[in-house]
Amino acid sequence: MHMLTGIRAIVQKDLAAEFRTRELLSSMLVFAVLTIIVFVFAFDPTKAVIRQVFPGMVWVCFIFAAVLGLNRSFVSEKTNDCITGLILCPVDRSVIYFGKLTANFIYVTIVEIVTLPLFAVLFNYKIPLQAVPALVLVIFLGTLGFTAVGTFLAALSSNARSSEVLLPVILFPVTVPVVLGAVQATAAILSGALTAEWVSWVKILGAFDAVFLVVPFVLFEYVLDM
Amino acid sequence: MEYLFAAYMIIWVLIFGYVLTLGKREKQLQEDIFVLKKYLSNNDKKS
Amino acid sequence: MKEPVNTPSLTDRVLGWGTFLAVTVALYLVFMWVPNEKIQGPVSKIIYFHIASAWLAFFAFFVVMVCSIIYLKTKDLKWDIISYASAEIGVLFTTIVLVTGPIWGRASWNAWWTWDHRLTTTLILWFIYIAYLMIRSSFNEEEKKARFSAVFGIIGFIDVPIVWMSIRWWRTIHPNIVSSGGFAMDPSMVQTLLVSLGAFTLLYFYLLRKGILIQKMRSEFELLKQELGTGR
């Protein structure tokens, strides 16, 4: 119970700070929408090929927006040395990790909720209603996996000299299974394929999430050690 | 046949290249350490 | 004071010559002794060193993970030095795999790159350890560099099986136009392959010792520089 209160406190702190300035969320949103616009120009939205690349575009957009948010997640704590204050909190280090993860997850989810309908509208893509629950599950698992590794590596790279450049480079290779799984599962679901076709992707996503939610318990204390 | 030749050429060029860079780094460091040591011992004598 | 001539230790010399000998024997076996594979012809000889490099790269990354764990437990920089030297060798041999793979593929499947699951996983592996080396180069303090790269060395290695699984699954639903096909192994081929593996393992240890030596010299150099800086 103690752990949950700690996590909630950190999430509340992050969200309160964010909703006062809205600088992170607004730039993430604008960036995500701009990505859609770039895709519209890059691939003619009237062509049939859109149906095939649509899941890929959606996830590229989500991931780029997520990286934008993750980059700020720990770097923003560097000003006024807030990170030291966080570390000095009488809680386990993993509480800080899960608090940050939850906050990042919330930001990315907000971006996703806004951009996915926009994608559907701008590309004139009909998302079948009965596919929505499965889609929500895949987006949930994919976002969780990406932000879990992302939060961890953002904490790691925030100490580096050029952390903004370092994070994507170290994050993308590690998250290959998430990107692959999420895109493939989304594609299968949107094309109305049988459950058997995407359920193994969900399993891979689940396995990835499980592994990278357990690993920080052991390793996060080394990342945040001063 | 030329593919085989190309493949082995690349393997050896890479490995030898790496060994050579290692050797170069070693030599450079050796010289640097030598210079520093000499400098330090000279300083010792003066003081 | 005379300029010191670095005399390699006995172990290093034995290891050096042993490696040289083993690689020569392996080369002899590959080019002179082992028969060509029936279907693919002489090009099939690439695989001996291709597989040996892949094995070595994987072994090197395994060493990185083990030394990273030991480093985090003991905080002894010695283990960090081993991880670094090993990661560098691993990246080198992954590069060799990535270059020889397409050459072999070009000859036998008539396509440079197929998104075959082994080759693709190797590519991702390569990126993961390039990232490892980039983490190392973006920290100045020895302790931070060692700690963060150790954490990443562990995560990267844990990630490899998941990458492997997901990519294999991806390939099974998008079947290859060209199948990688079976490779009928003659006993003499197996023997040649084993000798190549042995030779490359020796090569690994030779390079590793050399890399460790250089890292030690570098830290000695840094120490001397500090001494000079404090102005005695």
Side-chain angles (χ1 to χ4, degrees), chain B residues 29-44:
Chain B
L29 277 168
Q30 225 168 47
E31 279 166 16
D32 288 351
I33 289 176
F34 174 71
V35 169
L36 279 184
K37 271 191 178 153
K38 206 165 81 176
Y39 198 73
L40 275 172
S41 64
N42 278 354
N43 270 7
D44 275 351

mmCIF file of all heavy atoms in Angstrom, chain B residues 29-44:
data_model
loop_
_atom_site.group_PDB
_atom_site.id
_atom_site.type_symbol
_atom_site.label_atom_id
_atom_site.label_comp_id
_atom_site.label_asym_id
_atom_site.label_seq_id
_atom_site.Cartn_x
_atom_site.Cartn_y
_atom_site.Cartn_z
ATOM 1 N N LEU B 29 49.469 5.229 -26.396
ATOM 2 C CA LEU B 29 49.341 5.331 -24.946
ATOM 3 C C LEU B 29 50.684 5.122 -24.274
ATOM 4 O O LEU B 29 51.031 5.827 -23.327
ATOM 5 C CB LEU B 29 48.348 4.287 -24.433
ATOM 6 C CG LEU B 29 46.892 4.697 -24.531
ATOM 7 C CD1 LEU B 29 45.995 3.517 -24.275
ATOM 8 C CD2 LEU B 29 46.598 5.802 -23.517
ATOM 9 N N GLN B 30 51.448 4.159 -24.818
ATOM 10 C CA GLN B 30 52.761 3.884 -24.251
ATOM 11 C C GLN B 30 53.622 5.138 -24.272
ATOM 12 O O GLN B 30 54.229 5.517 -23.281
ATOM 13 C CB GLN B 30 53.415 2.807 -25.098
ATOM 14 C CG GLN B 30 54.069 1.720 -24.298
ATOM 15 C CD GLN B 30 54.428 0.582 -25.219
ATOM 16 O OE1 GLN B 30 54.997 0.789 -26.283
ATOM 17 N NE2 GLN B 30 54.087 -0.616 -24.828
ATOM 18 N N GLU B 31 53.612 5.787 -25.442
ATOM 19 C CA GLU B 31 54.422 6.999 -25.568
ATOM 20 C C GLU B 31 53.937 8.080 -24.618
ATOM 21 O O GLU B 31 54.737 8.722 -23.932
ATOM 22 C CB GLU B 31 54.366 7.510 -27.009
ATOM 23 C CG GLU B 31 55.317 6.766 -27.909
ATOM 24 C CD GLU B 31 55.025 7.016 -29.377
ATOM 25 O OE1 GLU B 31 54.289 7.980 -29.684
ATOM 26 O OE2 GLU B 31 55.514 6.228 -30.214
ATOM 27 N N ASP B 32 52.599 8.243 -24.566
ATOM 28 C CA ASP B 32 52.044 9.284 -23.706
ATOM 29 C C ASP B 32 52.429 9.044 -22.250
ATOM 30 O O ASP B 32 52.852 9.957 -21.539
ATOM 31 C CB ASP B 32 50.517 9.311 -23.834
ATOM 32 C CG ASP B 32 50.086 9.876 -25.177
ATOM 33 O OD1 ASP B 32 50.976 10.381 -25.887
ATOM 34 O OD2 ASP B 32 48.901 9.792 -25.500
ATOM 35 N N ILE B 33 52.276 7.783 -21.835
ATOM 36 C CA ILE B 33 52.598 7.456 -20.443
ATOM 37 C C ILE B 33 54.072 7.719 -20.179
ATOM 38 O O ILE B 33 54.457 8.280 -19.152
ATOM 39 C CB ILE B 33 52.239 5.981 -20.146
ATOM 40 C CG1 ILE B 33 50.718 5.828 -20.103
ATOM 41 C CG2 ILE B 33 52.832 5.532 -18.828
ATOM 42 C CD1 ILE B 33 50.260 4.404 -19.916
ATOM 43 N N PHE B 34 54.905 7.356 -21.155
ATOM 44 C CA PHE B 34 56.335 7.559 -21.004
ATOM 45 C C PHE B 34 56.654 9.042 -20.816
ATOM 46 O O PHE B 34 57.377 9.428 -19.895
ATOM 47 C CB PHE B 34 57.043 7.006 -22.243
ATOM 48 C CG PHE B 34 58.509 7.297 -22.261
ATOM 49 C CD1 PHE B 34 59.354 6.643 -21.371
ATOM 50 C CD2 PHE B 34 59.041 8.213 -23.151
ATOM 51 C CE1 PHE B 34 60.711 6.908 -21.383
ATOM 52 C CE2 PHE B 34 60.393 8.482 -23.157
ATOM 53 C CZ PHE B 34 61.242 7.835 -22.271
ATOM 54 N N VAL B 35 56.072 9.860 -21.674
ATOM 55 C CA VAL B 35 56.325 11.303 -21.596
ATOM 56 C C VAL B 35 55.884 11.842 -20.240
ATOM 57 O O VAL B 35 56.626 12.580 -19.571
ATOM 58 C CB VAL B 35 55.567 12.040 -22.730
ATOM 59 C CG1 VAL B 35 55.608 13.548 -22.507
ATOM 60 C CG2 VAL B 35 56.173 11.694 -24.068
ATOM 61 N N LEU B 36 54.708 11.446 -19.808
ATOM 62 C CA LEU B 36 54.187 11.949 -18.532
ATOM 63 C C LEU B 36 55.075 11.528 -17.374
ATOM 64 O O LEU B 36 55.369 12.323 -16.478
ATOM 65 C CB LEU B 36 52.760 11.425 -18.301
ATOM 66 C CG LEU B 36 51.655 12.172 -19.007
ATOM 67 C CD1 LEU B 36 50.310 11.606 -18.624
ATOM 68 C CD2 LEU B 36 51.712 13.658 -18.647
ATOM 69 N N LYS B 37 55.511 10.256 -17.438
ATOM 70 C CA LYS B 37 56.354 9.758 -16.349
ATOM 71 C C LYS B 37 57.650 10.547 -16.282
ATOM 72 O O LYS B 37 58.117 10.915 -15.207
ATOM 73 C CB LYS B 37 56.646 8.271 -16.558
ATOM 74 C CG LYS B 37 55.608 7.371 -15.925
ATOM 75 C CD LYS B 37 56.072 5.944 -15.938
ATOM 76 C CE LYS B 37 55.032 5.060 -15.257
ATOM 77 N NZ LYS B 37 55.077 3.689 -15.768
ATOM 78 N N LYS B 38 58.232 10.810 -17.463
ATOM 79 C CA LYS B 38 59.487 11.552 -17.506
ATOM 80 C C LYS B 38 59.274 12.944 -16.909
ATOM 81 O O LYS B 38 60.046 13.410 -16.076
ATOM 82 C CB LYS B 38 59.956 11.668 -18.958
ATOM 83 C CG LYS B 38 61.453 11.827 -19.075
ATOM 84 C CD LYS B 38 61.924 11.567 -20.478
ATOM 85 C CE LYS B 38 61.731 12.781 -21.354
ATOM 86 N NZ LYS B 38 62.279 12.582 -22.703
ATOM 87 N N TYR B 39 58.172 13.552 -17.323
ATOM 88 C CA TYR B 39 57.840 14.885 -16.854
ATOM 89 C C TYR B 39 57.708 14.901 -15.346
ATOM 90 O O TYR B 39 58.261 15.762 -14.657
ATOM 91 C CB TYR B 39 56.524 15.303 -17.507
ATOM 92 C CG TYR B 39 56.273 16.767 -17.476
ATOM 93 C CD1 TYR B 39 56.983 17.638 -18.305
ATOM 94 C CD2 TYR B 39 55.308 17.306 -16.630
ATOM 95 C CE1 TYR B 39 56.748 18.977 -18.288
ATOM 96 C CE2 TYR B 39 55.064 18.657 -16.600
ATOM 97 C CZ TYR B 39 55.788 19.490 -17.434
ATOM 98 O OH TYR B 39 55.540 20.827 -17.395
ATOM 99 N N LEU B 40 57.003 13.906 -14.828
ATOM 100 C CA LEU B 40 56.769 13.827 -13.383
ATOM 101 C C LEU B 40 58.084 13.636 -12.629
ATOM 102 O O LEU B 40 58.336 14.281 -11.614
ATOM 103 C CB LEU B 40 55.815 12.675 -13.062
ATOM 104 C CG LEU B 40 54.344 13.014 -13.182
ATOM 105 C CD1 LEU B 40 53.500 11.751 -13.040
ATOM 106 C CD2 LEU B 40 53.929 14.026 -12.121
ATOM 107 N N SER B 41 58.968 12.752 -13.152
ATOM 108 C CA SER B 41 60.215 12.493 -12.427
ATOM 109 C C SER B 41 61.117 13.714 -12.484
ATOM 110 O O SER B 41 61.838 14.020 -11.536
ATOM 111 C CB SER B 41 60.911 11.255 -12.995
ATOM 112 O OG SER B 41 61.277 11.512 -14.327
ATOM 113 N N ASN B 42 61.074 14.473 -13.594
ATOM 114 C CA ASN B 42 61.832 15.724 -13.670
ATOM 115 C C ASN B 42 61.357 16.706 -12.615
ATOM 116 O O ASN B 42 62.150 17.333 -11.928
ATOM 117 C CB ASN B 42 61.662 16.346 -15.051
ATOM 118 C CG ASN B 42 62.595 15.714 -16.054
ATOM 119 O OD1 ASN B 42 63.437 14.890 -15.668
ATOM 120 N ND2 ASN B 42 62.446 16.062 -17.313
ATOM 121 N N ASN B 43 60.066 16.800 -12.480
ATOM 122 C CA ASN B 43 59.485 17.690 -11.482
ATOM 123 C C ASN B 43 59.965 17.316 -10.087
ATOM 124 O O ASN B 43 60.280 18.167 -9.270
ATOM 125 C CB ASN B 43 57.957 17.594 -11.524
ATOM 126 C CG ASN B 43 57.380 18.601 -12.483
ATOM 127 O OD1 ASN B 43 58.131 19.266 -13.202
ATOM 128 N ND2 ASN B 43 56.060 18.714 -12.503
ATOM 129 N N ASP B 44 60.019 16.014 -9.852
ATOM 130 C CA ASP B 44 60.451 15.522 -8.547
ATOM 131 C C ASP B 44 61.865 15.982 -8.240
ATOM 132 O O ASP B 44 62.164 16.435 -7.143
ATOM 133 C CB ASP B 44 60.385 13.994 -8.521
ATOM 134 C CG ASP B 44 58.981 13.531 -8.170
ATOM 135 O OD1 ASP B 44 58.170 14.406 -7.802
ATOM 136 O OD2 ASP B 44 58.713 12.324 -8.275
#
